[in-house]
Amino acid sequence: MALLEVSHLSVSFHTRNGIARAVDDISFSLEQGQTLGIVGESGSGKSVCCYSLLGLIPRPPGRIDSGTAMFAGRDLLHCSEAELRRVRGDKIAMIFQDPMTSLNPFLRIGEQLIEPLVYHRGQSRDAARKQAIALLEEVGIRNPSQTIDCYPHEFSGGMRQRVMIAMALIAEPQLLIADEPTTALDVTVQRQILELINELRRKRNLAVIFISHDLGVVAGIADQVLVMKDGRMIEQGPVHSLFDNPADAYTRKLLAAIPRGAKSAADRSTNQDLLAVNDLTTRFNIIDHGKSSELIAVNSVSFRLRRGEVLGLVGESGSGKSTLGRSILNLIRPSSGSVCFDGEELVGRDNQQMKPLRRRMQMIFQDPYASLNPRMTIYDTLAEPMLLHGIASKTDVDQQVLKLMDDVGLARAYIRKYPHEFSGGQRQRIAIGRAIATRPEFVVADEPVSALDVTIQKQILELLLTLVERHNLSMLFISHDLAVVRHLCDRIMVMRAGQLLETAATELLWAAPAHEYTRTLLSSSQTELPEAR
Amino acid sequence: MNATRIEDYEQGTSLWRDAWIRLRKNRLAVIGGMTLIVVTLLCLLAPFVSPYGYEQQDLVLGAAGPSARHWLGTDVFGRDLLTRILYGGRISLMVGLIATGVALIIGVTWGAIAGYAGGRVDAVMMRFVDIVYALPFMIFVVLLMVVFGRNLLLLFLVIGAVEWLTMARIVRGQVQGLKQLEFIEAAVSLGLSGWTIIRRHLIPNAIGPVIVYTTLTIPSVMLLEAFISFLGLGIQPPQSSWGSLIAEGVETMEEFPWLLIFPGMALSLTLFALNFLGDGLRDALDVRTSRD
Amino acid sequence: MWRFIASRVLQAIPVLFIVITLTFFLVRFAPGGPFSTEKAVVPEVKRALEAQYQLDQPLLAQFGSYLTDLVHGDFGPSFKYPGRTVNELIAAGFPATAELGLYALLVAVVLGMAAGIVAALNPNSWRDYVPMSAAMIGICMPTFLLGPLLVLIFGLWLEWLPVSGWGEVSGDKILPSITLGAAYAAYIARLTRSGMLEVLSQDYIRTARAKGLPEYVVVFKHALRGGVIPVVAFLGPAFAGLLSGSFVVETIFQVPGLGRFFVQAAFNRDYTLILGSTVFFAVLIVVFNLLSDVLAAWLNPRLRAGLGVK
């Protein structure tokens, strides 16, 4: 008999604005020791589905409309709250997406770790603590008998996720629900956490439900996969057949959206340098509780970007890649070094002196929710740069804005709407439109797709490639995602701790990475589709 | 649709209109706003609303309870209480508005400069606010009124000078938070001038909390004035504000309780209205909730 | 931690100096001296009185000697109460004020936090609306209105409780304490509610629930710590407010405390008593602000680590 048997689960949210069906008739089952991957884009209902099993959705407004979820002889959906509480943390445990916020910052991790044992098993605190130390050791926390008395903020993100896993497993549950457990982590850490979950599952014969938006990650860990969209099940099956032979068009679309392989467009690089960066260094003074220290975010970086080139800049969080991008555009003032744009030195210019060059170099930002002024219509947002730089005159600005909207694939009907009326992908189109409104030669794109769902991500990447070609742009493309960079860039620079480790033509870097760190990055980020297993 | 004129396209819903719609749905806030308008109009039009003069005495009548001729009764000198409450309301509301205006001007300027400049300028300016914040202000207000006499203008200035500190903190926090948002960075990278960025991008986004806090400052200013007048240090007789009417009412509350209760109700009702309106505005204008 | 406290104490010194200087010169520049109300004082007598209180010396010298005395804990003699020092008057008034303040703070914290927690745990139900409406009334009903109304209802009409005095009849401390504490109970209730709602929506509360912890553990062990930080930080300003509220409450209920002395001193232009009590109040307020800041910082492990303790 299956460990968990969910049938015909439907959940809706009843708000003032109406009823939203978050989960619509979902059924699946899961055996001991198996991993089920639930895949979907944001808003697909994949998390709500699992949270409702444990009574963790807020009620009201949430409501379970129908269905059963049989687990060890009882129906989770029709349990009393007290019965459910005995299941949670004891028989079924959860880990969450963001380890930074999922641990209580006010309690020592030891206290948080032993709680399931103390409250479910009535164990003494001393015995529970011994068990917690052993488990911390097992999940790879160094020196656990001391670190157990630390507070969460004293750990890095990856370490916190290890603590979360230990906390979930301490009462030896039969089922672990992992809700995007690696999404907030850097690729190298992501790989370690996935391996840890897999190892623990094998050792303990755990059943795992692994929720993710990332098909690549799910492919690497799941036995069964369930694809969800808009609350409904699209298809379900063993991981191999689903990936090799997707039955549904949406699944095929998801698979096709994963950036794979080399750049398809031609390399348009010329021999002429557009940008020459020499010994660029940016330091920050950090004042923390009265103590001032210095952070060298960009440390003596030198490179060249050729006209027509798409140059990738890759690094993990905190590597200084965003600061480098902003330092080049003089949005952050560099401390020393030189940035030469088409023969003109940028370092040392003030805003007034920058202005004539601003038209020629623009930026696309990561967060499409923060990068648009919420009180300006699309028209205002796009017309502002055109009027400022004389691209359009008062008489033809309307036509120019409409043309620009066509260019970035926005329906003309939206022209007088405000940013909050759009989805993330549409907003990013608006932001891209603003960046190319001044007809620049050079664009810095700082993680322009990392906040977007995978299918939208593909559309925006295609738009960027089209625009590069159509407007003869040169681009510095900053990303943490190696697959995306490979798909888009002619050359790649790898950055760590403020320094450039290596620069190479894309396929050359893939074939023969020179630096150890690059090798680690590459091996961590290989998308593990089944044929590669 | 392929119109050529921008005006032909459908108009989106701005955050301001969104907020307005939300505010109108908030029953308490609407009632608060209406009450406020009615109270203000009554006080402004007091000479036309009330058939009695402000100091018109009816010594024969003396203090009498509510009646058909005097709806809220009369005080010990036989003066119509409703009339006195309406005229007192003029002073109370005026103090509330003018002192809040003073606080608004100083606070917004101070906070905006500190927030926009950042760095050392910001540190020095905000340290100053911290120090002034720690002063025992009520005591100073009482002292000032004792030392310089009961001067209405001074009262405005003193109360305004107490209340600007919080405003400065709020505005500075807003500006600092906004400065880190990417659309401000985008505006810089477009090459817009500092002034254009402030006018087009910073102010429209920072103004919501200022409106809300202004609405919530008015009642606290009115309370402060009433407090001072109650102690006998604010408005001088024969002029009166709600605070001094309450003080008079307390003296005779055993025999003539209406002299305490009605002015008290007038003050509390207005404070309620302002607070409900302020809370409603805060909920309606909150940019974060309208984002998703 | 000690470094943090030391730096805050150092910051308090300029505050105190500003308070003393401002008060000293404000009072000296006030029109009408302490002896000007007594009519027809013989000039010689006036001069003798002024010499006795050092009013004939240059202002700066007066300020200097006042500061010197102050450092030695001497607030000087009172102008209006001949033969008594300000120290004696403060010592006479302080116990009642301290007791009243303590009870009021207790009323505010206990009532306010209880109401706030209940409301936050049952948002948008009657258990939310009732306490929050009461809190709104508390905010819109100033002390000087609430006090007389309570006297009117419970003292004069119902005759349940004594209407004035302090420690003379049993039960005479109830009304003043409630009157003084009510407004702050209301503020604390609102702060607690919003603080708790904020914390209850955090990811780590979801984690605690996912662990199957009983609801009281989730609320009191996991949520309350974060939820009370804004309340603790508010205690400093609340204390300052309670002190000025005591002016009114002590006057209404005829409590022989410092607040009433201060108001009387202000009317009498009793320079040294005004100065003395202002300085005394300022020290109290600064100390309380310091305590509530330190406590709020200490409740947050991240800050505590930054403060130099583990």
Side-chain angles (χ1 to χ4, degrees):
Chain A
M1 207 186 95
L3 176 69
L4 175 69
E5 182 90 51
V6 175
S7 42
H8 306 294
L9 172 65
S10 292
V11 183
S12 55
F13 284 89
H14 295 245
T15 63
R16 230 177 273 173
N17 301 328
I19 300 171
R21 257 291 158 95
V23 175
D24 197 353
D25 196 28
I26 295 288
S27 304
F28 61 85
S29 72
L30 184 60
E31 307 282 342
Q32 194 89 41
Q34 287 234 311
T35 301
L36 170 73
I38 302 185
V39 178
E41 298 186 283
S42 52
S44 62
K46 55 190 192 299
S47 296
V48 174
C49 171
C50 293
Y51 287 16
S52 60
L53 294 181
L54 290 179
L56 287 176
I57 52 166
R59 284 183 285 184
R63 186 188 292 173
I64 293 169
D65 296 323
S66 64
T68 56
M70 298 307 293
F71 175 83
R74 75 185 106 195
D75 182 358
L76 295 175
L77 300 181
H78 297 90
C79 275
S80 71
E81 175 59 28
E83 277 177 290
L84 259 184
R85 197 179 293 142
R86 277 196 292 277
V87 172
R88 288 203 295 255
D90 192 18
K91 306 279 188 300
I92 304 180
M94 282 195 78
I95 52 178
F96 299 97
Q97 173 171 353
D98 192 350
M100 292 301 180
T101 58
S102 294
L103 286 167
N104 191 331
F106 299 104
L107 297 174
R108 294 174 198 277
I109 61 155
E111 184 56 40
Q112 301 185 53
L113 272 167
I114 63 172
E115 275 180 331
L117 293 180
V118 173
Y119 290 102
H120 289 299
R121 301 284 162 76
Q123 281 193 12
S124 77
R125 306 182 79 84
D126 281 343
R129 187 182 157 91
K130 284 207 187 79
Q131 221 170 311
I133 291 173
L135 191 55
L136 281 178
E137 179 103 54
E138 194 182 340
V139 298
I141 302 275
R142 250 171 283 156
N143 203 2
S145 50
Q146 257 134 66
T147 42
I148 192 169
D149 287 320
C150 289
Y151 286 96
H153 71 262
E154 298 171 67
F155 293 88
S156 70
M159 287 296 140
R160 284 190 215 191
Q161 200 58 299
R162 285 170 193 268
V163 172
M164 279 295 291
I165 291 171
M167 198 163 80
L169 297 185
I170 195 158
E172 316 223 308
Q174 294 158 286
L175 170 62
L176 175 70
I177 299 176
D179 183 8
E180 304 255 13
T182 58
T183 308
L185 305 173
D186 278 326
V187 275
T188 50
V189 184
Q190 186 171 346
R191 165 54 53 104
Q192 295 161 8
I193 295 293
L194 285 175
E195 274 164 11
L196 177 67
I197 292 176
N198 233 342
E199 182 195 317
L200 291 167
R201 177 189 61 128
R202 245 178 284 127
K203 249 197 262 176
R204 289 157 193 253
N205 201 23
L206 260 179
V208 178
I209 297 179
F210 195 98
I211 305 169
S212 180
H213 70 285
D214 190 333
L215 270 172
V217 168
V218 168
I221 197 163
D223 304 302
Q224 292 274 322
V225 178
L226 172 78
V227 182
M228 281 182 77
K229 180 177 190 273
D230 300 330
R232 276 189 292 278
M233 185 177 82
I234 297 298
E235 70 175 299
Q236 183 176 191
V239 66
H240 282 274
S241 66
L242 191 117
F243 277 81
D244 294 342
N245 236 333
D248 190 89
Y250 178 70
T251 315
R252 281 198 290 275
K253 192 174 154 200
L254 273 185
L255 281 170
I258 300 177
R260 243 176 301 187
K263 185 182 181 184
S264 46
D267 185 347
R268 304 167 47 82
S269 311
T270 58
N271 287 327
Q272 189 192 358
D273 280 349
L274 179 64
L275 186 75
V277 174
N278 274 314
D279 264 336
L280 191 71
T281 299
T282 303
R283 295 188 200 94
F284 292 117
N285 276 321
I286 301 171
I287 297 166
D288 191 24
H289 297 293
K291 265 187 285 182
S292 128
S293 55
E294 194 172 68
L295 173 80
I296 304 177
V298 176
N299 193 353
S300 165
V301 165
S302 306
F303 69 91
R304 273 160 223 298
L305 180 128
R306 286 173 298 212
R307 213 177 259 284
E309 186 177 34
V310 180
L311 178 60
L313 176 58
V314 171
E316 297 189 287
S317 56
S319 61
K321 55 189 193 300
S322 286
T323 309
L324 176 57
R326 285 167 164 80
S327 300
I328 291 167
L329 294 184
N330 228 338
L331 291 173
I332 294 174
R333 303 260 177 259
S335 311
S336 63
S338 133
V339 176
C340 205
F341 177 78
D342 201 16
E344 305 217 41
E345 178 60 47
L346 302 185
V347 176
R349 287 184 185 232
D350 62 20
N351 278 337
Q352 201 54 41
Q353 295 163 324
M354 274 306 290
K355 198 188 159 191
L357 287 166
R358 289 278 183 223
R359 187 196 68 70
R360 302 172 58 192
M361 45 205 304
Q362 283 298 312
M363 181 148 182
I364 300 165
F365 296 88
Q366 170 173 4
D367 183 357
Y369 289 86
S371 66
L372 296 172
N373 185 341
R375 302 201 184 265
M376 279 165 68
T377 60
I378 308 313
Y379 174 76
D380 290 332
T381 298
L382 295 182
E384 187 173 55
M386 291 183 167
L387 291 171
L388 178 74
H389 289 289
I391 304 293
S393 66
K394 280 239 156 60
T395 48
D396 72 341
V397 64
D398 295 4
Q399 288 313 309
Q400 296 275 8
V401 169
L402 287 171
K403 242 188 270 167
L404 184 58
M405 289 179 71
D406 296 343
D407 210 9
V408 295
L410 282 165
R412 290 184 163 204
Y414 293 147
I415 191 161
R416 292 175 75 200
K417 301 255 181 207
Y418 290 86
H420 65 102
E421 301 175 90
F422 292 98
S423 68
Q426 287 169 315
R427 286 186 216 210
Q428 202 58 300
R429 284 178 194 270
I430 302 168
I432 292 171
R434 176 181 56 196
I436 62 166
T438 61
R439 300 185 188 149
E441 296 145 61
F442 171 55
V443 172
V444 174
D446 185 8
E447 303 256 15
V449 295
S450 60
L452 305 173
D453 274 327
V454 57
T455 51
I456 309 295
Q457 180 174 331
K458 184 180 161 86
Q459 294 167 11
I460 297 294
L461 287 176
E462 273 163 12
L463 173 68
L464 282 176
L465 275 177
T466 318
L467 292 173
V468 163
E469 205 157 306
R470 194 183 296 157
H471 299 288
N472 203 15
L473 289 173
S474 313
M475 184 183 284
L476 179 67
F477 187 89
I478 303 172
S479 179
H480 70 283
D481 190 333
L482 282 151
V484 166
V485 172
R486 185 184 184 192
H487 192 63
L488 207 70
C489 301
D490 306 312
R491 271 191 314 150
I492 295 182
M493 305 189 288
V494 180
M495 194 169 180
R496 187 178 66 171
Q499 287 177 307
L500 281 189
L501 293 185
E502 65 175 306
T503 308
T506 304
E507 288 313 307
L508 213 60
L509 187 92
W510 242 261
H515 205 280
E516 177 61 40
Y517 176 71
T518 314
R519 271 196 288 279
T520 320
L521 265 187
L522 282 173
S523 70
S524 309
S525 71
Q526 293 296 347
T527 301
E528 263 195 65
L529 293 181
E531 63 261 24
R533 270 220 293 206
Chain B
M1 182 156 63
N2 227 342
T4 46
R5 277 163 26 110
I6 302 297
E7 289 74 26
D8 297 339
Y9 291 102
E10 190 192 346
Q11 167 100 53
T13 315
S14 74
L15 288 180
W16 292 116
R17 233 179 77 194
D18 242 24
W20 176 238
I21 293 167
R22 265 200 302 276
L23 185 67
R24 271 192 325 201
K25 278 193 197 149
N26 185 333
R27 227 176 309 150
L28 282 176
V30 172
I31 295 174
M34 307 255 257
T35 312
L36 216 57
I37 293 171
V38 171
V39 169
T40 313
L41 280 179
L42 281 178
C43 290
L44 279 180
L45 302 175
F48 308 102
V49 174
S50 158
Y52 303 102
Y54 173 66
E55 291 174 67
Q56 185 183 335
Q57 300 185 348
D58 187 345
L59 287 172
V60 185
L61 190 62
S67 64
R69 278 185 58 205
H70 299 280
W71 290 358
L72 301 184
T74 50
D75 71 1
V76 283
F77 300 109
R79 294 178 293 196
D80 181 63
L81 186 58
L82 178 59
T83 312
R84 288 185 66 75
I85 288 177
L86 291 183
Y87 279 92
R90 288 174 141 192
I91 304 255
S92 289
L93 289 172
M94 193 164 71
V95 173
L97 287 178
I98 295 182
T100 303
V102 173
L104 192 67
I105 291 167
I106 306 176
V108 169
T109 316
W110 193 277
I113 291 174
Y116 194 74
R120 207 157 292 157
V121 179
D122 174 48
V124 170
M125 287 178 84
M126 291 328 278
R127 179 52 58 92
F128 177 78
V129 170
D130 286 345
I131 288 179
V132 181
Y133 223 85
L135 298 179
F137 249 111
M138 285 309 296
I139 298 171
F140 271 120
V141 172
V142 172
L143 266 182
L144 279 172
M145 298 317 288
V146 169
V147 170
F148 291 108
R150 296 147 198 186
N151 183 331
L152 209 57
L153 186 71
L154 187 68
L155 191 64
F156 294 145
L157 287 178
V158 169
I159 296 178
V162 182
E163 296 286 341
W164 71 271
L165 297 163
T166 319
M167 185 65 89
R169 281 186 171 176
I170 286 174
V171 171
R172 181 240 182 200
Q174 274 294 310
V175 172
Q176 264 211 329
L178 283 172
K179 240 178 40 176
Q180 286 167 1
L181 283 183
E182 287 175 344
F183 72 81
I184 300 293
E185 241 182 325
V188 175
S189 80
L190 287 179
L192 292 172
S193 69
W195 173 238
T196 315
I197 292 175
I198 293 176
R199 188 171 50 85
R200 276 175 69 92
H201 295 274
L202 269 178
I203 292 179
N205 285 290
I207 205 163
V210 173
I211 293 175
V212 173
Y213 187 69
T214 305
T215 320
L216 293 173
T217 301
I218 299 174
S220 74
V221 164
M222 289 176 66
L223 264 180
L224 202 49
E225 179 274 325
F227 175 84
I228 296 166
S229 294
F230 177 85
L231 286 178
L233 296 167
I235 304 299
Q236 271 185 307
Q239 267 192 330
S240 60
S241 74
W242 287 338
S244 64
L245 285 177
I246 291 171
E248 285 170 27
V250 168
E251 282 165 25
T252 57
M253 68 178 177
E254 206 165 338
E255 306 91 36
F256 318 120
W258 63 88
L259 292 180
L260 169 66
I261 291 170
F262 290 126
M265 273 173 58
L267 177 64
S268 284
L269 195 70
T270 311
L271 295 181
F272 264 117
L274 279 162
N275 275 308
F276 280 134
L277 183 64
D279 280 1
L281 279 170
R282 184 178 51 202
D283 291 345
L285 283 171
D286 193 347
V287 183
R288 276 168 303 172
T289 58
S290 61
R291 188 172 123 169
D292 297 317
Chain C
M1 195 72 169
W2 292 113
R3 259 189 50 201
F4 173 71
I5 297 176
S7 82
R8 292 303 312 267
V9 170
L10 280 178
Q11 199 181 322
I13 291 173
V15 174
L16 286 177
F17 184 76
I18 293 172
V19 171
I20 297 167
T21 316
L22 266 179
T23 322
F24 185 87
F25 288 100
L26 258 179
V27 171
R28 287 301 143 102
F29 285 126
F35 312 115
S36 60
T37 46
E38 279 138 87
K39 44 193 170 179
V41 181
V42 189
E44 286 82 47
V45 176
K46 193 179 174 193
R47 221 168 295 137
L49 273 171
E50 283 183 349
Q52 187 192 337
Y53 293 107
Q54 297 180 333
L55 291 179
D56 51 349
Q57 288 177 17
L59 212 56
L60 274 179
Q62 289 181 35
F63 185 54
S65 66
Y66 184 75
L67 279 182
T68 321
D69 288 347
L70 213 54
V71 172
H72 296 101
D74 180 8
F75 290 105
S78 161
F79 285 154
K80 286 289 165 170
Y81 300 89
R84 298 190 70 182
T85 63
V86 175
N87 291 45
E88 285 168 7
L89 288 169
I90 289 178
F94 183 60
T97 301
E99 206 186 345
L100 173 63
L102 192 71
Y103 291 154
L105 205 59
L106 220 62
V107 167
V109 171
V110 173
L111 271 185
M113 287 196 43
I117 290 172
V118 168
L121 291 180
N122 307 281
N124 302 319
S125 73
W126 67 269
R127 288 194 201 83
D128 181 14
Y129 296 140
V130 170
M132 283 307 115
S133 309
M136 191 53 118
I137 294 174
I139 284 172
C140 296
M141 184 83 85
T143 312
F144 53 84
L145 180 58
L146 181 65
L149 283 180
L150 289 180
V151 168
L152 202 60
I153 296 168
F154 295 102
L156 301 175
W157 293 348
L158 297 172
E159 298 188 357
W160 287 356
L161 290 166
V163 298
S164 69
W166 187 254
E168 291 153 25
V169 204
S170 71
D172 63 358
K173 292 180 181 175
I174 296 177
L175 284 184
S177 306
I178 291 177
T179 306
L180 187 54
Y184 293 92
Y187 282 116
I188 288 176
R190 282 168 67 105
L191 268 180
T192 310
R193 179 180 183 271
S194 60
M196 285 294 282
L197 278 180
E198 163 91 29
V199 170
L200 285 171
S201 69
Q202 296 287 320
D203 286 351
Y204 63 81
I205 297 301
R206 187 181 58 190
T207 307
R209 294 222 163 95
K211 278 195 278 186
L213 300 180
E215 193 60 21
Y216 71 88
V217 178
V218 174
V219 172
F220 290 100
K221 183 171 167 186
H222 284 265
L224 198 56
R225 260 173 234 236
V228 296
I229 287 182
V231 176
V232 171
F234 175 69
L235 285 182
F239 178 78
L242 283 177
L243 268 185
S244 50
S246 74
F247 302 170
V248 169
V249 173
E250 290 181 8
T251 308
I252 295 172
F253 292 95
Q254 291 167 26
V255 178
L258 263 189
R260 201 156 63 120
F261 283 0
F262 178 76
V263 175
Q264 282 166 0
F267 277 106
N268 292 338
R269 300 185 186 289
D270 189 339
Y271 286 173
T272 42
L273 186 52
I274 294 177
L275 259 176
S277 34
T278 305
V279 172
F280 187 70
F281 285 143
V283 172
L284 280 182
I285 288 171
V286 166
V287 168
F288 250 76
N289 270 326
L290 182 72
L291 283 180
S292 89
D293 277 3
V294 170
L295 194 60
W298 182 78
L299 280 173
N300 189 337
R302 191 184 284 260
L303 281 179
R304 204 186 319 165
L307 305 177
V309 285
K310 259 271 166 82

Coordinates of all heavy atoms in Angstrom, one line a residue, chain A residues 35-38 198 201 210 217-225 238-240 533:
Chain A
T35 N 10.8 9.4 -4.5 CA 10.7 10.8 -4.5 C 9.8 11.2 -5.6 O 9.9 10.8 -6.8 CB 12.1 11.4 -4.8 OG1 13.0 11.0 -3.8 CG2 12.1 12.9 -4.9
L36 N 8.8 12.1 -5.3 CA 7.9 12.7 -6.2 C 8.3 14.1 -6.5 O 8.4 14.9 -5.5 CB 6.5 12.6 -5.7 CG 5.4 13.3 -6.6 CD1 5.2 12.6 -7.9 CD2 4.1 13.5 -5.8
G37 N 8.5 14.5 -7.7 CA 8.8 15.9 -8.0 C 7.5 16.5 -8.5 O 6.8 16.0 -9.3
I38 N 7.2 17.7 -7.9 CA 6.0 18.4 -8.4 C 6.6 19.7 -9.0 O 7.3 20.5 -8.4 CB 5.1 18.8 -7.3 CG1 4.5 17.5 -6.6 CG2 3.9 19.6 -7.8 CD1 3.5 17.8 -5.6
N198 N 19.3 13.5 -1.1 CA 19.3 12.2 -1.7 C 19.9 11.1 -0.9 O 19.4 10.0 -0.7 CB 20.1 12.3 -3.1 CG 19.2 11.7 -4.2 OD1 18.2 11.0 -3.9 ND2 19.6 12.1 -5.4
R201 N 17.8 10.3 2.1 CA 16.6 9.6 1.7 C 16.9 8.1 1.5 O 16.2 7.2 2.0 CB 16.1 10.1 0.3 CG 14.9 9.3 -0.2 CD 14.6 9.7 -1.6 NE 15.8 9.4 -2.5 CZ 15.7 8.8 -3.6 NH1 14.5 8.3 -4.1 NH2 16.8 8.5 -4.4
F210 N 9.3 16.7 -3.7 CA 10.2 17.7 -4.0 C 9.5 18.7 -4.9 O 9.2 18.4 -6.1 CB 11.4 17.1 -4.7 CG 12.6 18.1 -4.7 CD1 13.6 18.0 -3.8 CD2 12.7 19.0 -5.7 CE1 14.7 18.8 -3.8 CE2 13.7 19.9 -5.8 CZ 14.7 19.8 -4.8
V217 N 16.5 20.4 -11.9 CA 16.7 20.0 -10.6 C 15.9 18.7 -10.3 O 16.3 17.7 -9.7 CB 16.4 21.1 -9.5 CG1 16.4 20.5 -8.1 CG2 17.5 22.2 -9.7
V218 N 14.6 18.8 -10.7 CA 13.7 17.7 -10.4 C 14.2 16.4 -11.1 O 14.1 15.3 -10.6 CB 12.3 18.1 -10.8 CG1 11.4 16.9 -10.8 CG2 11.7 19.1 -9.9
A219 N 14.6 16.6 -12.4 CA 15.1 15.5 -13.1 C 16.2 14.8 -12.4 O 16.3 13.5 -12.5 CB 15.6 15.9 -14.5
G220 N 17.0 15.5 -11.7 CA 18.1 14.9 -11.0 C 17.8 14.1 -9.8 O 18.5 13.3 -9.3
I221 N 16.6 14.4 -9.2 CA 16.3 13.8 -7.9 C 15.1 13.0 -7.8 O 14.9 12.1 -7.0 CB 16.2 15.0 -6.8 CG1 16.4 14.4 -5.4 CG2 15.0 15.8 -7.0 CD1 16.7 15.4 -4.4
A222 N 14.1 13.2 -8.8 CA 12.8 12.5 -8.6 C 12.7 11.2 -9.3 O 13.4 10.9 -10.3 CB 11.7 13.4 -9.1
D223 N 11.8 10.3 -8.8 CA 11.5 9.1 -9.5 C 10.2 9.3 -10.3 O 10.1 8.8 -11.5 CB 11.2 7.9 -8.5 CG 12.4 7.7 -7.6 OD1 13.5 7.5 -8.0 OD2 12.2 7.9 -6.3
Q224 N 9.3 10.0 -9.7 CA 8.0 10.3 -10.4 C 7.9 11.8 -10.5 O 8.4 12.5 -9.7 CB 6.8 9.9 -9.6 CG 6.7 8.4 -9.4 CD 5.9 7.8 -10.6 OE1 4.9 8.4 -11.0 NE2 6.3 6.6 -11.1
V225 N 7.3 12.3 -11.6 CA 7.2 13.7 -11.7 C 5.7 14.1 -12.0 O 5.0 13.4 -12.7 CB 8.0 14.3 -12.9 CG1 7.8 15.8 -13.0 CG2 9.5 14.0 -12.6
P238 N 6.7 8.4 -14.6 CA 8.1 8.2 -14.2 C 9.0 9.2 -14.9 O 8.7 9.7 -16.0 CB 8.4 6.8 -14.7 CG 7.0 6.2 -15.0 CD 6.1 7.3 -15.3
V239 N 10.0 9.6 -14.2 CA 10.8 10.7 -14.7 C 11.3 10.5 -16.1 O 11.3 11.4 -16.9 CB 11.9 11.0 -13.7 CG1 13.0 9.9 -13.6 CG2 12.6 12.4 -14.0
H240 N 11.8 9.3 -16.4 CA 12.3 9.0 -17.7 C 11.3 9.2 -18.9 O 11.6 10.0 -19.8 CB 12.9 7.6 -17.8 CG 14.2 7.5 -17.1 ND1 15.4 7.8 -17.8 CD2 14.5 7.2 -15.9 CE1 16.4 7.7 -16.9 NE2 15.9 7.3 -15.8
R533 N 21.8 11.0 -17.2 CA 22.0 10.3 -15.9 C 22.8 9.0 -16.1 O 22.4 8.2 -17.0 CB 20.7 10.0 -15.3 CG 20.3 11.2 -14.4 CD 19.7 10.7 -13.1 NE 18.4 10.1 -13.3 CZ 17.4 10.0 -12.4 NH1 17.6 10.5 -11.2 NH2 16.3 9.4 -12.6

